[in-house]
Amino acid sequence: VLVQSRDWPGVAEQCAAVRQLEPRNGEVVLMELQAQIQTLAAGGESGSDDAAWRTIEQRLAQLDADNKGVPRVKLLRAQAAMLQTKFTEAASLLDEIQSMGLSESSANVLRAQLLVAQKKEPDAIALLQKTIVKFPQEFEPVRNLAVLLRQSGKQAECEALVKARLESATEPPMRRQLTLLLADLYMSWGKDDQTQQLLADLAKQNPEDISVRRRLLSLDRVARDLPEAQKIVNEIKAIETEKGWQWRYEQEIGRAHV
């Protein structure tokens, strides 16, 4: 849930706690490092940040050596290099990752991210557009292009892109991802009616989907509509049973709005 909401400080805190219990859990270590990278990227520049980056780089280099070049470790190293404007190092790492069998679609997404870091947004947009045409059922190129268009202030073009991909998508998982992306975009543009309608329709189409219902409850207008919010909490409870924790959490949060 923390990762889905991109609460990176929260992810780092939870991973650190788990690592105390399972110090050899590689998945937790990687997730903690990813959270630390994203948290640093969102912060300002300071001397303490420089020290934090050095620590992250040392830990990733050691993981890379210990695991004989696991692609995900190299990917985190490349992302850290990009965020520190070490573009030559990032490009070299991306070459290594691609040589290890990374798909062309995924490689193009990483190349586009590097272009964005280099302030070459038009080149990144062009690369992602070509990738979407060649791999129409891949979600990440669409998400990355939509985010880039939104950041560039191209709201109409961004909305048209996601709607077009949603209209042509045939697989339910792809349609779900695109619908959630469009809902997130609408939310960022203050289009509350469209956001709520998209999520409500998606919840009806996916009767066992708890995360979509929790997204609905995160909307202010839903949380303040106590009968509607309680109805959604009851749906979550029915899905995960009395022993579940998510409906209890949302129930408690709901009381804060009373």
Side-chain angles (χ1 to χ4, degrees):
V1 174
L2 291 171
V3 172
Q4 290 177 349
S5 63
R6 303 187 73 80
D7 178 6
W8 297 115
V11 173
E13 182 180 347
Q14 290 298 314
C15 286
V18 173
R19 191 160 52 81
Q20 293 295 318
L21 301 173
E22 301 180 48
R24 296 185 180 276
N25 189 321
E27 184 68 25
V28 171
V29 172
L30 285 175
M31 189 174 293
E32 180 185 20
L33 286 168
Q34 180 184 6
Q36 290 173 350
I37 288 170
Q38 295 298 333
T39 301
L40 276 175
E45 297 181 0
S46 70
S48 61
D49 282 357
D50 292 340
W53 278 119
R54 283 196 297 273
T55 300
I56 288 172
E57 287 181 322
Q58 290 167 1
R59 291 182 66 190
L60 284 172
Q62 186 61 55
L63 279 172
D64 205 1
D66 292 345
N67 292 280
K68 298 181 181 179
V70 172
R72 187 176 171 191
V73 178
K74 288 192 182 295
L75 174 58
L76 285 178
R77 290 184 67 190
Q79 290 175 338
M82 285 184 212
L83 292 168
Q84 296 175 87
T85 67
K86 298 179 179 179
F87 300 134
T88 301
E89 179 183 342
S92 176
L93 285 163
L94 292 182
D95 287 339
E96 287 186 51
I97 296 169
Q98 191 164 4
S99 71
M100 298 168 73
L102 186 69
S103 70
E104 181 182 347
S105 173
S106 298
N108 285 352
V109 168
L110 294 175
R111 299 286 178 195
Q113 291 173 355
L114 178 57
L115 288 168
V116 171
Q118 294 172 304
K119 309 295 185 186
K120 298 178 180 179
E121 285 85 357
D123 292 340
I125 289 174
L127 176 57
L128 290 169
Q129 287 172 333
K130 290 179 182 178
T131 305
I132 290 169
V133 171
K134 190 170 183 179
F135 304 99
Q137 294 303 318
E138 293 286 340
F139 173 68
E140 279 304 310
V142 179
R143 186 186 71 80
N144 276 263
L145 180 54
V147 169
L148 184 51
L149 291 172
R150 178 176 63 81
Q151 292 172 342
S152 301
K154 299 178 180 180
Q155 179 175 325
E157 189 176 343
C158 176
E159 182 177 0
L161 164 73
V162 181
K163 282 185 172 180
R165 302 323 305 171
L166 186 55
E167 186 175 343
S168 64
T170 56
E171 296 297 323
M174 179 68 165
R175 293 188 58 81
R176 178 184 181 279
Q177 288 178 305
L178 288 167
T179 301
L180 290 174
L181 174 60
L182 187 56
D184 286 343
L185 291 168
Y186 281 153
M187 188 183 300
S188 72
W189 295 327
K191 296 185 175 184
D192 295 342
D193 288 341
Q194 292 96 321
T195 303
Q196 184 175 352
Q197 189 61 56
L198 274 176
L199 292 174
D201 290 346
L202 190 59
K204 289 178 182 177
Q205 295 162 14
N206 297 271
E208 301 296 313
D209 197 323
I210 292 176
S211 65
V212 171
R213 287 164 172 77
R214 295 192 68 185
R215 286 203 187 202
L216 265 171
L217 288 170
S218 73
L219 300 177
D220 233 20
R221 64 189 333 190
V222 174
R224 294 186 183 282
D225 182 347
L226 296 183
E228 178 64 17
Q230 187 60 57
K231 173 178 170 290
I232 297 171
V233 170
N234 290 343
E235 290 175 359
I236 296 173
K237 181 180 179 180
I239 295 169
E240 63 174 1
T241 75
E242 182 79 28
K243 297 179 180 179
W245 66 270
Q246 295 181 79
W247 74 266
R248 295 178 187 276
Y249 176 84
E250 296 296 347
Q251 183 82 59
E252 191 64 30
I253 292 296
R255 292 189 184 123
H257 289 274
V258 177

